[in-house]
Amino acid sequence: MPFAHYLTFHRAARYRRARISSFATLNERELRRRRYDAEVLRSLAVGLETTGDSVRIATALARLAVDDLLATWALIPILQGSTM
């Protein structure tokens, strides 16, 4: 009977190790995604700071939506004669 307890303990420990490693993998993936998002937003902010043209700003926002946010299409309304 002690051997059966040992097997039960061993299986439970193996199960816990597998769950912990899967959580670590998910956490690492989430951290990488957040780092990428921060880099994309930083580059967008730098690009928007150098331009005052509303068409270029709308283009940059649409590119962000399609390229980085994986949108199928983006609609950015621009008022005629508006300045930023």
Side-chain angles (χ1 to χ4, degrees), residues 1-60:
M1 208 46 154
F3 186 69
H5 290 300
Y6 172 74
L7 284 179
T8 303
F9 172 77
H10 184 65
R11 287 181 186 145
R14 189 173 0 152
Y15 177 73
R16 280 192 300 263
R17 282 192 305 265
R19 291 202 36 126
I20 289 170
S21 67
S22 68
F23 286 138
T25 303
L26 290 174
N27 190 31
E28 179 65 28
R29 189 177 306 140
E30 179 68 19
L31 289 174
R32 266 191 249 124
R33 187 190 63 80
R34 286 184 184 188
R35 190 176 309 125
Y36 174 76
D37 289 347
E39 289 173 7
V40 167
L41 289 175
R42 181 194 165 284
S43 67
L44 176 68
V46 168
L48 292 181
E49 189 162 334
T50 61
T51 185
D53 183 25
S54 59
V55 174
R56 287 186 182 175
I57 292 172
T59 302

Side-chain angles (χ1 to χ4, degrees), residues 52-84:
D53 183 25
S54 59
V55 174
R56 287 186 182 175
I57 292 172
T59 302
L61 290 173
R63 281 205 180 134
L64 171 75
V66 173
D67 296 342
D68 297 314
L69 301 178
L70 305 177
T72 309
W73 54 274
L75 174 67
I76 310 291
I78 303 173
L79 294 176
Q80 195 70 2
S82 64
T83 60
M84 296 286 177

